[in-house]
């Protein structure tokens, strides 16, 4: 009974965390769509758009366990791919 | 004379049976009782008739039983005689011993007969078991019927002292037979006829026993003083807030009455437990779910009389429903502790699993109250509403009717809140809040039986909300952007107008009204009928506002663009807010209820409409800017000689700068007015349009371009890209045609080979991917190199 009580009490908190993660994911997707278009070479643009499409498909699956994976991989991709090209440019990108 | 008469009566008395003597003594206590002699005679004759009928029934049953027994004996005897005959034949054939051949045949014959013999023996055993079980069950059923009959007889004798004992005896027999039937149902499921016939007879006994037990229980409750007088709950007492005490008979009962009540209570609980077991056995294999659950009979017997007494007070307060709820709550609260302290131990003693006296008491009273509301209060409210809506003078009367309805619902919601607090205060945790368990403790379950009343309620709520909202929407200052607080990380600043917070508040209130409804289906229906139309109304208002601006100025005016921007921001805000709401469990559980099988949340249709609106008007803004840019670029594009002239003038064309200034000004204003996401959509749309416009005007219109023209074009495009660098880091990425066209023009003549422009690999090496082959060929042919 105590375990059940704790589980019930934790549900709103878990739901809130899931919503925050989904919000972050949407924001990152938007930034990826905008930044991918600005990559120097065509292959990089296509790679970024392919990743965006892949995560968009993942997003449609109603599995909350995918959320953290999506956010982690998307953040890593943004940092590695986009940061490498704009690291030396003093631009308008806010810290991720 | 006196001496002669006296010995005669004495002699008669001495010869009388003691039972008869006691009977007569009870009837004739004094000379005045002689007047009822005819009644006594009628009673005696009735008893004789009943006894004779009983004897006849017993005789018939004895005959039937004897016949059945005789038939069973004959069957068994016949089977046994068959076995004996076969055994004799076997022995005879064995003793013959007529030789080896005969011996082999005999052995074979013996071997072949063994299975048949075993089968016959098993069948005999089965028949014997069936007969034994039938006789045993018949005996038990007979005991039950005797106990019930003696119970009735005891009732006729008015021997109340023995009624509980008689009930317990009968219940004991019923439990024994139920145990037996349960084992038969498991081990011999094919004996369905036996089970059903026994059930039929037991059901008849129960049909007699249960009402009698309930009648005894009720008379006992009356002797205890239940229902207690509600005179203390008078109008003045409730109005003044004084806590008038209602005497609780359950707390004050003592001694013999208490033990009698406990026995009667246990008898009813045992009966209910037995009934529950029987239903479970009979319905085994069928998925009945909660249909087996019944209210606790003993609590029902407490609820029914006190609710009947309370309704007499309710009737006096037809115009004051708050007093109805106050009295109902007071009754529930005043007696709820006695349920825990006095009655719960008895229920536990009876082994009725899953029953809480507190919950049963609260549920019974709540259901009684909701029944009263459904029969007395709501029909009057509906009648008043219909009269006010149909009458010509519908202003004040209709408003009063709606206010009255909303007040009633408010009382119901607050009542449910207090009831749930009462349950939670006892430590009962509502961990599983399914519809069934919730409806038992909520007066709002009235709407579960009458969805049309829910629709009336939703319509009233929608109308009241819309009336407030329209006045807010008409205020122009509400359409300015509100001041935002601290921006959270990754949270978008929608730059939504103030009106959105008003609409948001209205929607939140409506959704909060839906939360106490104890049915997912009805909650979804309420929100669909009250909250969703608010969104549609707001969207319609924004659409008219935008269309008005478009109609007046074709969006060329700054104020018109500002109005459209505000509406786009509001649509973006609500699209995001509704989508976020639908991630909550409260809305997720409604997604499975869509009748048409549509996917998505309850606001999916509204979200789609908001998105369509936003996309449409974002595109309109982009189109307007493009149209203005195109108009201002006409002279620049028509001047085809500039691409062949030497560059002796300014590095950038003056006419082109004017077009660029216009576009930059428009986009800068939009950046301040639109939310970030939609602004990105607008400027990307403008960039795409400019890319196509200039490419078509310069590269594919047959214009000849010299080396000096290429330099001038590069200068012009660099200014264009510089404007868009305010919103991105590499603007060339959003002008693929112009970028690649310029790159093509800058290729050195020596690198051009005959037909090379048709080679895809060659083009790819030079970064040309977005241009068609025909366009590439035309550009190269129009390139003029220095001689």
């Amino acid at each position: 009974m105590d375990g059940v009580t704790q589980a019930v009490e934790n549900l709103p908190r878990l739901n809130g965390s899931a919503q925050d993660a989904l919000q972050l994911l949407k924001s990152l997707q938007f930034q990826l769509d905008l930044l991918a278009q600005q990559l120097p070479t065509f292959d990089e643009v296509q790679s970024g758009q392919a990743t965006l499409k892949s995560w968009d498909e993942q997003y449609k699956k109603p599995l909350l366990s995918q959320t953290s994976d999506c956010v982690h991989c998307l953040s890593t991709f943004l940092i590695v791919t986009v940061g490498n090209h704009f690291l030396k440019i003093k631009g308008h990108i806010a810290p991720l | 004379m006196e001496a002669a008469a006296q010995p005669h009566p004495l002699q008669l008395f001495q010869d009388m049976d003691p039972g008869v003597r006691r009977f007569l003594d009870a009837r004739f206590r004094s000379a005045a009782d002689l007047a009822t002699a005819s009644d006594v005679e009628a009673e005696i004759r009735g008893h004789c008739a009943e006894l004779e009928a009983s004897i006849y029934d017993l005789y018939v049953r004895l005959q039937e039983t004897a016949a059945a027994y005789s038939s069973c004996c004959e069957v068994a005897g016949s089977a046994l005689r068959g076995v004996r005959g076969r055994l004799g034949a076997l022995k005879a054939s064995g003793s013959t011993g007529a030789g080896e051949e005969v011996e082999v045949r005999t052995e074979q014959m013996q071997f072949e007969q063994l299975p048949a013999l075993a089968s016959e023996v098993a069948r005999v055993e089965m028949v014997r078991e069936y007969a034994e079980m039938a006789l045993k069950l018949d005996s038990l059923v007979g005991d039950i019927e005797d106990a019930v009959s003696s119970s009735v007889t005891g009732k006729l004798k008015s021997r109340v002292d023995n009624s509980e004992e008689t009930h317990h005896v009968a219940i004991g027999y019923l439990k024994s037979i139920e145990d037996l039937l349960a084992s038969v149902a498991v081990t011999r499921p094919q004996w369905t006829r036996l089970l059903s016939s026994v059930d039929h007879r037991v059901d008849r006994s129960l049909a007699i026993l249960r009402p009698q037990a309930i009648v005894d229980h009720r008379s006992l409750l009356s002797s205890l003083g239940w229902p207690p007088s509600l005179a203390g709950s008078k109008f003045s007492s409730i109005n003044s807030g004084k806590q008038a005490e209602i005497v609780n008979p359950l707390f004050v009962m003592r001694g013999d009455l208490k033990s009698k009540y406990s026995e009667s209570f246990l008898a009813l609980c045992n009966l209910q437990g037995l009934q529950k077991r029987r239903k479970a056995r009979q319905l085994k294999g069928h998925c009945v779910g909660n249909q087996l659950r019944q209210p606790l009979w003993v609590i029902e017997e407490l609820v029914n009389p006190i609710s009947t007494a309370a309704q007499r007070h309710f009737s006096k307060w037809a115009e004051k429903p708050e007093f109805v709820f106050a009295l109902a709550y007071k009754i529930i609260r005043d007696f709820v502790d006695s349920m825990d302290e006095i009655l719960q131990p008895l229920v536990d003693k009876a082994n009725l699993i899953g029953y809480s006296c507190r919950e049963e008491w609260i549920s019974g009273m709540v259901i009684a109250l909701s029944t009263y509301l459904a029969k007395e209060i709501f029909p009057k409210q509906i009648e008043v509403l219909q009269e006010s809506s149909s009458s010509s003078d519908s202003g004040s009367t209709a408003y009063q009717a709606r206010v009255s309805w909303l007040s009633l619902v408010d009382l119901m919601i607050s009542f449910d809140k207090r009831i749930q607090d009462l349950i939670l205060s006892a430590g009962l945790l509502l961990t599983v809040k399914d519809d069934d368990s919730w409806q038992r403790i909520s007066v709002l379950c009235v709407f579960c039986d009458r969805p049309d009343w829910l629709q009336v309620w939703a319509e009233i709520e929608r109308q009241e909300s819309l009336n407030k909202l329209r006045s807010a929407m008409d205020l122009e200052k509400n359409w300015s952007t509100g001041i935002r607080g601290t921006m959270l990380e990754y949270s978008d600043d929608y730059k939504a107008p103030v009106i959105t917070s008003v609409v948001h508040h209205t929607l939140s209130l409506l959704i909060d009204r839906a939360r106490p409804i104890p049915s997912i289906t009805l909650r979804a229906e309420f929100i669909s009928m009250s909250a969703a139309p608010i969104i549609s109304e707001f969207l319609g208002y924004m659409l008219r506002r935008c269309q008005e601006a478009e109609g007046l100025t074709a969006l060329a005016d700054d104020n018109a663009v500002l109005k459209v921007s505000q509406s786009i921001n509001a649509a973006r805000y609500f699209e995001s807010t509704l989508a976020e709401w639908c991630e909550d469990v409260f809305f997720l559980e409604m997604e499975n209820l869509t009748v048409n099988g549509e996917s998505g949340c309850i606001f999916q249709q509204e979200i789609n409409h908001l998105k369509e609106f936003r996309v449409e008007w974002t595109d309109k803004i982009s189109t307007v800017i493009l149209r203005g840019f195109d108009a201002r670029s006409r002279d620049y594009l028509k001047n085809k000689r500039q691409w062949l002239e030497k560059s002796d003038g300014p590095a950038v064309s003056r006419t082109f700068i004017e077009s660029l200034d216009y576009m930059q000004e428009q986009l800068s204003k939009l950046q301040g007015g639109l939310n970030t996401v939609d602004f990105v959509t607008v400027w990307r749309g403008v960039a795409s349009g400019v890319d196509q416009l200039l490419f078509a005007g310069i590269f594919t219109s047959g214009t000849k371009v010299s080396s000096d023209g290429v330099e001038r074009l590069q200068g012009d495009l660099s200014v264009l890209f510089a404007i868009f660098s305010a919103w991105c880091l590499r603007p060339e990425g959003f002008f693929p045609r112009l970028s690649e066209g310029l790159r093509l023009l800058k290729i050195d003549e020596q690198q051009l080979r005959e037909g090379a422009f048709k080679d895809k690999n060659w083009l790819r090496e030079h970064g040309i991917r977005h241009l068609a082959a025909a366009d590439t060929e035309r550009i190269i042919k129009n390139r003029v190199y220095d001689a």
Side-chain angles (χ1 to χ4, degrees):
Chain A
M1 176 59 85
D2 192 42
V4 174
T5 303
Q6 289 183 357
V8 170
E9 290 175 354
N10 286 335
L11 277 179
R13 194 178 306 119
L14 288 174
N15 196 45
S17 299
Q19 290 191 22
D20 292 343
L22 288 173
Q23 192 73 17
L24 173 61
L25 178 63
K26 291 174 186 175
S27 180
L28 292 174
Q29 281 180 312
F30 176 76
Q31 292 196 30
L32 175 60
D33 183 45
L34 179 60
L35 294 172
Q37 197 74 24
Q38 308 176 45
L39 294 174
T41 63
F42 181 77
D43 290 338
E44 286 165 335
V45 171
Q46 279 205 326
S47 175
Q49 289 177 346
T51 301
L52 182 65
K53 184 177 180 182
S54 171
W55 293 124
D56 197 54
E57 292 294 327
Q58 288 276 19
Y59 178 76
K60 293 174 182 175
K61 298 176 181 178
L63 295 175
L64 289 181
S65 61
Q66 300 277 351
T67 304
S68 59
D69 293 338
C70 290
V71 172
H72 176 72
C73 296
L74 198 58
S75 301
T76 304
F77 178 83
L78 283 175
I79 292 169
V80 172
T81 306
V82 180
N84 281 347
H85 295 284
F86 297 103
L87 195 60
K88 301 179 181 178
I89 301 174
K90 298 180 180 179
H92 303 274
I93 298 180
L96 294 179
Chain B
M1 187 65 175
E2 293 182 356
Q6 190 168 7
H8 184 65
L10 287 176
Q11 187 174 358
L12 286 178
F13 286 167
Q14 289 172 0
D15 295 339
M16 279 187 178
D17 185 82
V20 174
R21 181 193 296 269
R22 284 195 296 272
F23 178 82
L24 291 176
D25 287 344
R27 292 295 184 276
F28 302 103
R29 297 180 181 277
S30 63
D33 291 339
L34 289 174
T36 64
S38 59
D39 295 340
V40 173
E41 182 182 359
E43 183 179 350
I44 293 171
R45 291 185 183 281
H47 285 175
C48 289
E50 289 176 4
L51 288 173
E52 288 178 355
S54 177
I55 290 172
Y56 181 78
D57 287 340
L58 288 172
Y59 178 72
V60 170
R61 283 172 49 198
L62 183 61
Q63 277 191 327
E64 292 173 352
T65 304
Y69 183 74
S70 176
S71 176
C72 292
C73 287
E74 288 177 4
V75 171
S78 175
L80 288 172
R81 281 193 293 274
V83 170
R84 178 179 295 177
R86 290 190 177 83
L87 285 173
L90 188 65
K91 183 177 179 181
S93 64
S95 62
T96 302
E100 184 174 358
E101 182 178 359
V102 175
E103 185 176 359
V104 168
R105 188 180 303 108
T106 303
E107 286 182 358
Q108 184 176 3
M109 190 166 56
Q110 291 173 5
F111 180 78
E112 288 173 353
Q113 286 178 347
L114 279 178
L117 184 61
S119 174
E120 197 68 21
V121 170
R123 200 174 73 84
V124 169
E125 183 67 16
M126 179 74 68
V127 169
R128 187 185 65 79
E129 285 184 9
Y130 189 92
E132 284 184 356
M133 182 59 66
L135 289 174
K136 192 172 181 182
L137 289 172
D138 184 69
S139 173
L140 282 171
V141 171
D143 290 337
I144 291 167
E145 290 170 348
D146 288 344
V148 170
S149 178
S150 65
S151 172
V152 173
T153 305
K155 182 67 179 176
L156 291 174
K157 292 180 179 177
S158 301
R159 293 178 173 270
V160 182
D161 293 0
N162 294 329
S163 62
E164 280 73 32
E165 293 179 8
T166 310
H167 294 335
H168 281 292
V169 168
I171 292 168
Y173 287 140
L174 285 163
K175 284 189 175 180
S176 300
I177 201 167
E178 181 59 28
D179 292 334
L180 205 56
L181 289 175
S183 69
V184 168
V186 171
T187 59
R188 304 291 182 182
Q190 68 271 22
W191 293 356
T192 53
R193 290 184 179 277
L194 179 63
L195 291 172
S196 61
S197 63
V198 173
D199 276 337
H200 182 65
R201 291 176 67 180
V202 171
D203 284 338
R204 282 194 297 172
S205 300
L206 281 172
I208 298 171
L209 188 61
R210 177 182 173 182
Q212 186 178 334
I214 290 177
V215 167
D216 291 343
H217 193 73
R218 287 178 184 174
S219 63
L220 197 53
L221 278 176
S222 297
S223 63
L224 286 173
W226 188 275
S229 171
L230 302 177
S233 308
K234 289 181 178 177
F235 179 90
S236 58
S237 177
I238 292 179
N239 199 22
S240 62
K242 295 177 183 176
Q243 292 295 330
E245 289 295 331
I246 302 177
V247 178
N248 191 341
L250 299 178
F251 274 140
V252 301
M253 62 178 177
R254 293 284 184 270
D256 196 29
L257 272 180
K258 185 169 184 178
S259 65
K260 285 180 182 178
Y261 180 75
S262 299
E263 291 296 322
S264 181
F265 191 99
L266 282 172
L268 268 184
C269 286
N270 287 325
L271 266 178
Q272 184 163 12
L274 189 70
Q275 184 85 322
K276 191 176 178 182
R277 285 179 57 196
R278 285 170 54 78
K279 286 295 180 184
R281 172 175 60 78
Q282 291 167 359
L283 296 175
K284 188 177 179 182
H286 302 273
C287 297
V288 293
N290 284 337
Q291 294 176 21
L292 280 177
R293 198 188 201 287
Q294 281 190 353
L296 205 58
W297 296 350
V298 282
I299 302 296
E300 270 189 333
E301 294 304 319
L302 294 173
V303 167
N304 290 338
I306 199 168
S307 63
T308 303
Q311 284 181 26
R312 288 193 290 270
H313 293 272
F314 293 166
S315 303
K316 296 188 288 185
W317 302 324
E319 305 300 328
K320 295 283 185 179
E322 57 267 31
F323 293 161
V324 171
F325 288 98
L327 177 59
Y329 180 76
K330 180 174 172 55
I331 293 171
I332 294 173
R333 183 199 59 202
D334 285 353
F335 294 99
V336 74
D337 290 334
S338 60
M339 302 299 154
D340 280 338
E341 297 176 15
I342 297 177
L343 303 185
Q344 188 67 45
L346 295 175
V347 169
D348 296 337
K349 188 176 177 183
N351 287 325
L352 273 178
I353 303 172
Y355 280 101
S356 161
C357 285
R358 175 180 278 258
E359 277 196 21
E360 290 295 313
W361 166 251
I362 293 174
S363 172
M365 289 301 300
V366 166
I367 290 174
L369 176 60
S370 60
T371 302
Y372 177 80
L373 295 173
K375 288 183 177 178
E376 302 293 337
I377 301 292
F378 271 95
K380 291 178 182 176
Q381 294 280 344
I382 291 287
E383 186 179 343
V384 172
L385 281 171
Q386 288 173 354
E387 285 179 352
S388 62
S389 62
S390 62
S391 66
S392 57
D393 183 18
S394 61
S396 175
T397 309
Y399 179 76
Q400 287 296 328
R402 290 200 300 271
V403 168
S404 177
W405 180 283
L406 292 178
S407 299
L408 175 62
V409 175
D410 286 339
L411 288 170
M412 295 166 74
I413 291 175
S414 62
F415 179 85
D416 278 357
K417 181 68 168 59
R418 298 172 79 189
I419 290 299
Q420 290 186 21
D421 291 342
L422 203 59
I423 292 178
L424 292 174
S425 66
L428 301 173
L429 188 61
L430 299 171
T431 54
V432 182
K433 208 177 188 183
D434 61 280
D435 283 358
D436 286 336
S437 63
W438 192 358
Q439 286 168 24
R440 296 191 305 113
I441 56 170
S442 171
V443 288
L444 288 169
C445 69
V446 165
F447 296 117
C448 298
D449 299 324
R450 295 297 300 265
D452 52 327
W453 291 350
L454 182 93
Q455 293 170 11
V456 170
W457 176 25
E459 177 62 24
I460 292 174
E461 294 279 3
R462 185 186 71 86
Q463 196 64 38
E464 294 295 313
S465 302
L466 270 181
N467 290 340
K468 298 170 187 172
L469 204 57
R470 284 201 182 106
S471 56
M473 288 194 293
D474 289 335
L475 289 178
E476 192 64 29
K477 66 176 182 179
N478 280 337
W479 289 94
S480 62
T481 304
I483 300 173
R484 294 293 167 180
T486 306
M487 299 305 300
L488 298 175
E489 189 180 5
Y490 297 117
S491 67
D492 292 317
D493 179 12
Y494 300 107
K495 301 180 182 176
V498 175
I499 190 64
T500 54
S501 62
V502 180
V503 178
H504 188 295
H505 183 65
T506 303
L507 293 175
S508 296
L509 287 180
L510 289 173
I511 290 166
D512 286 342
R513 300 286 272 177
R515 287 183 194 276
I517 300 173
S519 167
I520 298 175
T521 306
L522 292 188
R523 285 200 294 277
E525 187 173 346
F526 182 85
I527 291 174
S528 297
M529 290 191 66
S530 62
I534 297 289
I535 302 167
S536 300
E537 183 80 12
F538 181 64
L539 182 59
Y541 189 93
M542 290 197 298
L543 182 62
R544 289 191 296 274
R545 190 175 160 89
C546 293
Q547 287 173 343
E548 178 182 318
E550 184 188 33
L552 288 176
T553 65
L555 300 182
D557 182 61
D558 285 349
N559 277 335
V561 174
L562 182 62
K563 285 186 176 181
V564 174
S565 300
Q566 290 162 347
S567 297
I568 290 172
N569 291 339
R572 163 69 65 177
Y573 172 79
F574 278 115
E575 189 181 329
S576 180
T577 300
L578 294 178
E580 185 175 339
W581 280 359
C582 290
E583 299 289 342
D584 191 71
V585 175
F586 178 78
F587 292 101
L588 282 176
E589 61 189 1
M590 299 180 188
E591 289 189 14
N592 301 323
L593 301 177
T594 50
V595 182
N596 303 327
E598 303 168 356
S599 63
C601 62
I602 190 171
F603 292 122
Q604 192 62 50
Q605 194 173 356
E606 283 72 31
I607 290 174
N608 292 343
H609 289 166
L610 286 164
K611 184 176 181 180
E612 290 169 10
F613 170 85
R614 187 174 49 74
V615 169
E616 179 187 352
W617 287 92
T618 306
D619 185 64
K620 282 180 188 287
I621 289 183
S622 299
T623 302
V624 165
I625 295 175
L626 276 175
R627 199 181 302 131
F629 178 82
D630 182 29
R632 290 167 175 79
S633 303
R634 202 147 294 167
D635 291 341
Y636 173 78
L637 294 177
K638 273 198 296 186
N639 184 8
K640 299 187 183 301
R641 290 178 299 175
Q642 61 179 323
W643 310 116
L644 293 173
E645 294 172 355
K646 280 184 170 298
S647 60
D648 56 347
V652 182
S653 307
R654 189 183 312 103
T655 55
F656 192 55
I657 287 182
E658 292 175 3
S659 305
L660 295 180
D661 280 344
Y662 164 80
M663 184 168 62
Q664 184 184 33
E665 184 185 4
Q666 296 297 315
L667 289 176
S668 297
K669 289 177 184 175
L670 277 177
Q671 186 178 19
L674 267 181
N675 65 85
T676 305
V677 176
D678 285 308
F679 174 67
V680 168
T681 305
V682 167
W683 73 250
R684 287 181 73 168
V686 170
S688 178
V690 168
D691 189 48
Q692 298 180 49
L693 189 69
L694 294 184
F695 185 80
I698 296 174
F699 290 92
T700 60
S701 62
T703 306
K704 302 290 185 180
V705 186
S706 65
S707 298
D708 290 331
V710 170
E711 286 185 16
R712 174 169 297 138
L713 180 61
Q714 179 168 332
D716 290 350
L717 293 187
S718 66
V719 177
L720 171 67
F721 296 159
I723 289 174
F724 282 86
S725 65
W727 307 299
C728 64
L729 294 178
R730 201 179 79 86
E732 292 87 340
F734 300 100
F735 297 91
R737 292 177 189 79
L738 291 179
S739 301
E740 293 181 4
L742 184 62
R743 192 175 301 131
L744 196 60
L745 290 177
K746 288 162 71 177
I747 294 175
D748 196 75
E749 186 177 12
Q750 281 75 29
Q751 300 184 38
L752 291 175
R753 295 172 296 166
E754 185 66 26
F757 48 83
K758 297 179 180 177
D759 186 5
K760 287 188 178 179
N761 291 328
W762 184 87
L763 289 173
R764 193 161 299 167
E765 286 176 9
H766 288 80
I768 310 297
R769 283 189 172 83
H770 293 90
L771 302 184
D775 292 337
T776 307
E777 182 178 358
R778 186 178 296 114
I779 291 171
I780 292 176
K781 285 185 175 180
N782 287 329
R783 179 72 164 91
V784 177
Y785 292 97
D786 298 336

